[in-house]
Amino acid sequence: VAGPQERVRVGGWDCSFPRDAAALEPSGNSQSAASLLAEFFSYFGTLDLGGLLLSPLEGRALPRPPPGTPGGLREGPLTLQDPFELSHNVTANVTARTVSRFVRCCRDAARLCRGPDFLQKSRKGRPWGVMRLLQPGPARRGGPGGEFLIPVPLPPPGGPAGVPQREVCAAVGFVLGELLGCGCEPEGTPGTPRGELQPPPAARGHREGGTGGPRGEFGT
C-alpha cells in the first residue's frame, strides 16, 4: 500500500512502507488491550520457537527453512526475520538460555494476566495491572507483605583477616538503607552457620514500605 513517493530500495531489498497510517486498512479486532497483552504472552509461551521463523512482514510464524537454503537466515535458537532485509536474522546472537528464559517469563506473565491482580485494582495497595508484570522477580519470592526480598550473605565472625564483620554490616547497611532506600532485617543469629539458619518469614532485607524496621536499620 506504499505510494509512489514512498518506494525505496536499499541494497536490492524493497524497503517501502506507507508513512501515513490512514492508508492502512483498519483492524476489525475489538479485543481490549488487556486481552491482547494476555494473548501475546500465552502465544509466545507455547510456541515452538526452535522450529519456526517469526516474520513481522507476514505477521505470523512460518516453518523455518531447511539449513543451507540459498539466501536463508543464519540459524539460532530464535529466528526473527528482518522485515526488510529478509535474509537477516536479527536475533541470531540470542542464546538458547535466553530464549528459554523468555518463554518461561511469557508463561508466568500469561498466568498472571489471568489472575485478579492484573484485572482488578488491589484494595490493599499492592501493584496491579501492568505494574504487577514489572515487579522484579517472580511473585513467589516475595514476603508476606508483598515486598521483594533480597538475601545478602555476609562473612561469618572470624572471616578474612582485617575485615571485621561489624564494619562489613555497617557498610552494607549504609548502601542498602541510605543509597537504595531499602529496609534491612537480620537473618538468624550471629555466629550461626549459614546452613543451619531457620529464619522467620519476615527476617530478610526488603524494599522500603514492607513489614520491616525503620529505613536503613540493619539490626543486631
Side-chain angles (χ1 to χ4, degrees), residues 96-119:
R97 181 178 180 180
T98 300
V99 174
S100 177
R101 183 169 181 264
F102 168 73
V103 172
R104 186 171 64 252
C105 287
C106 282
R107 291 173 180 170
D108 290 343
R111 185 166 52 251
L112 199 152
C113 285
R114 293 191 294 266
D117 289 340
F118 182 74
L119 299 175

Side-chain angles (χ1 to χ4, degrees), residues 116-212:
D117 289 340
F118 182 74
L119 299 175
Q120 299 176 4
K121 183 176 181 179
S122 173
R123 296 182 178 179
K124 299 181 180 180
R126 296 177 181 177
W128 68 287
V130 175
M131 290 303 299
R132 187 68 182 84
L133 292 172
L134 302 179
Q135 288 294 294
R140 60 180 174 271
R141 294 179 59 186
E147 66 273 15
F148 179 60
L149 306 181
I150 308 175
V152 182
L154 295 172
V163 186
Q165 188 188 41
R166 183 177 298 276
E167 294 183 10
V168 173
C169 289
V172 172
F174 173 79
V175 172
L176 291 176
E178 300 302 323
L179 301 183
L180 301 180
C182 298
C184 300
E185 295 179 2
E187 175 176 304
T189 55
T192 306
R194 179 179 175 84
E196 298 178 9
L197 292 180
Q198 297 294 332
R204 300 284 202 282
H206 59 82
R207 290 294 303 272
E208 182 69 19
T211 58

Side-chain angles (χ1 to χ4, degrees), residues 10-31:
V10 179
W13 297 101
D14 184 1
C15 296
S16 308
F17 66 93
R19 289 166 171 77
D20 183 6
L24 301 176
E25 182 179 351
S27 172
N29 195 316
S30 60
Q31 290 178 270

